[in-house]
Amino acid sequence: MTELRRDVDAVVVGAGFAGLYAHHRLRRLGLTLQGFEAAADVGGTWWWNRYPGARCDVESMDYSYSFSPELEQEWTWTERYAPQPEILRYAEHVADRFDLRRDIRFETRVTAATWDEAAQRWQVETDRGDRVSARFLIMATGCLSAAKEPEIDGIGSFRGRTLHTGRWPHEGVDLTGQRVGVIGTGSSGIQSIPLIAQQAAHLTVFQRTPNFTMPAKHAPLDPEAVNARKARAQEIRKAMRESRAGVIVPVPEHSALEVDDQARRARFEQAWETGTLYGMVAAFNDLLIDRDANETAAEFVRARIRETVADPDLAERLSPRNHPFGTKRPCLDSGYYATYNRDNVTLVDVRSNPIVAITPTGVRTTTDEHDLDVIVFATGFDAMTGPLLGPDITGAGGMKLRDKWAAGPRTYLGIATAGFPNLFTVTGPGSPSVLVNMLVAIEQHVDWVAGCIAYLHEHDLASIDATVEAEDRWVDHVNDVASYTLFPQANSWYMGANVPGKPRVFMPYIGGLPRYTETIDGVAADGYRGFTLTPATAPEREPSASQT
Ligand code: FAD
Ligand code: NAP
């Protein structure tokens, strides 16, 4: 274990892609750092999520760092959508190449952080009893890192094995000959179900909400195409940063309702064949804002389900009807719907036949007992706010982040929250984060934080804190933009709807990367408009400039 530094410029919490890049970028500024990571090594998402079939759904060559042209040239992805082990190897390679582990304490969870007004510093505590004083606190804790088990009676009584996709055992799990139940049909369920079905003696899928999923058209990468892409890497990366979702997708010109049935179908077929997450969503310009337009895409997907699933009743039960297409994160799959044609797979619709309890021998629904050896919870995460509210964070004047966010997260630009000076949330709620290619969002946020810290240093400023007025305006803007879309109509984790009691707020910013980047860069260019800056030399540490 690395030696603990008790007094540093910055504590970085998390060692996924965000934390790793924060170490690299802040070290280049000359900052002293102490990192903490609950996992035993780097990788974040890709360290924890080792379930069968786990892979990215943004193409590997896009889902990777752009900050180092050398790294980009030397690393070669082998598959269109890299599997989890390959992405984890990439994270490990980045950590080795840039020597990023040396300041990180692994298997150590940050449990509390308290702002010391007089010292203008954070006091950070961990579950190992560490106490570290830091000027800056960088929460690189991820949006999807707080795995969530379902609230089902008797969950602890099961005598077989329970697993969560987001906490999958590192030694792997042999499901051969087992009776397996999977609860959940989000991306994790949809990726793992086809592979579990191939191994298990019998697979029972407990589905609460059918999801829209599209075939990934997954394939090994052609080395020539990889080389051609590398030759244009810088140009492509620039275009990605300037794109709406951090990936290059043609911008649609037409409404789905202004073309005839034949033209619409042809366009959807073309989009379907791309095997990409954003292809279908971007087939027309109004799919996410007009319910009738959206219904044309939804019905196109349902028709594909009917074509694939032999039993019409089963096809209907797999067909999403409760939420507009694209308003829960769509999924990419490899053989998901065809899996239901197998003799050893049963679908239980728990909306019409709810799970009553987990029993010592399996799952009991209103009408049936399902005897199982293994239950897989593919039940997702306490997304976006969960990892930030895990530690007990106390800001200026003793304000608790948990209290401040009791009715939903409030941030300025998704990167800061008023009353919590010098605390930065990488891809926090109120930023594009989970709606875009996250590697692009992460680099953009970390670069901004580094620029901000450099500015504070150059201007001899001790701290920076968002003003409540600027934050209120930003929160209103985030809500306004979301309300213009169909997203709030879905009970999604974007809305906090998967966690009982969690406030229903659309958490990410859906205005797109270019608008967001222009705004946040403009804030910096204007001397951090909307922030209060406190000079390092002020004896009473009175704010010198309150720029709203
Ligand atoms: P994470 O990778 O989640 O890392 C955060 C780390 O912080 C974790 O390791 C966690 O242990 C640690 N941590 C949290 N709290 C504490 C604490 N209190 N103390 C110490 N450590 C703490 N996004 C895409 O854009 N494209 C994809 O294809 C894609 N695929 C995904 C597949 C899966 C299965 C999942 C779950 C998510 C996927 N995502 C994808 C989203 C993914 O989370 C991000 O792309 C990215 O990996 C996030 O990196 P991060 O460093 O911000 O967070
Ligand atoms: P998720 O999308 O939240 O899906 C969880 C599933 O569990 C949903 O089907 C949910 O049903 C169900 N569920 C939750 N609680 C339940 C209960 N008590 N009873 C019955 N069903 C219950 O979680 P996820 O699949 O882990 O994915 C989360 C996010 O991680 C994705 O949206 C994506 O951003 C990312 N991810 C990406 C990939 C990839 O392809 N690269 C893979 C995995 C994850 P309801 O819909 O009714 O709530």
Side-chain angles (χ1 to χ4, degrees), residues 13-19 36-39 43-46 48-49 51 56-58 63 108-110 140-142 144-145 329 381 391 436-438 442:
V13 192
F17 284 130
F36 293 108
E37 166 56 63
T45 291
W46 305 101
W48 293 104
N49 290 264
Y51 58 83
C56 52
D57 58 8
V58 168
Y63 187 67
T108 308
R109 185 170 285 280
V110 168
T141 43
L144 296 161
S145 61
R329 192 170 191 275
F381 302 87
V436 305
N437 175 355
M438 286 213 63
I442 285 169

Side-chain angles (χ1 to χ4, degrees), residues 183 206 355 357-359 361-365 368-370 372 375:
I183 301 180
F206 297 90
I355 297 175
I358 292 180
T359 67
T361 54
V363 172
R364 181 186 305 144
T365 64
D368 301 293
E369 296 275 349
H370 299 272
L372 301 167
I375 302 176

Side-chain angles (χ1 to χ4, degrees), residues 97 119 128 195 214 251 315 332 394 478 500:
R97 192 189 190 287
R128 287 180 182 270
L195 290 160
M214 298 161 286
V251 178
L332 286 189
T394 310
V478 171

Side-chain angles (χ1 to χ4, degrees), residues 280-320:
M280 277 290 290
V281 173
F284 293 99
N285 63 16
D286 52 357
L287 296 182
L288 296 176
I289 53 174
D290 183 295
R291 190 76 202 227
D292 291 337
N294 186 284
E295 181 54 24
T296 65
E299 189 44 37
F300 179 86
V301 180
R302 291 184 207 119
R304 302 287 78 70
I305 299 171
R306 290 192 290 272
E307 278 170 16
T308 312
V309 179
D311 174 351
D313 172 56
L314 192 51
E316 180 52 30
R317 283 188 284 139
L318 286 163
S319 295

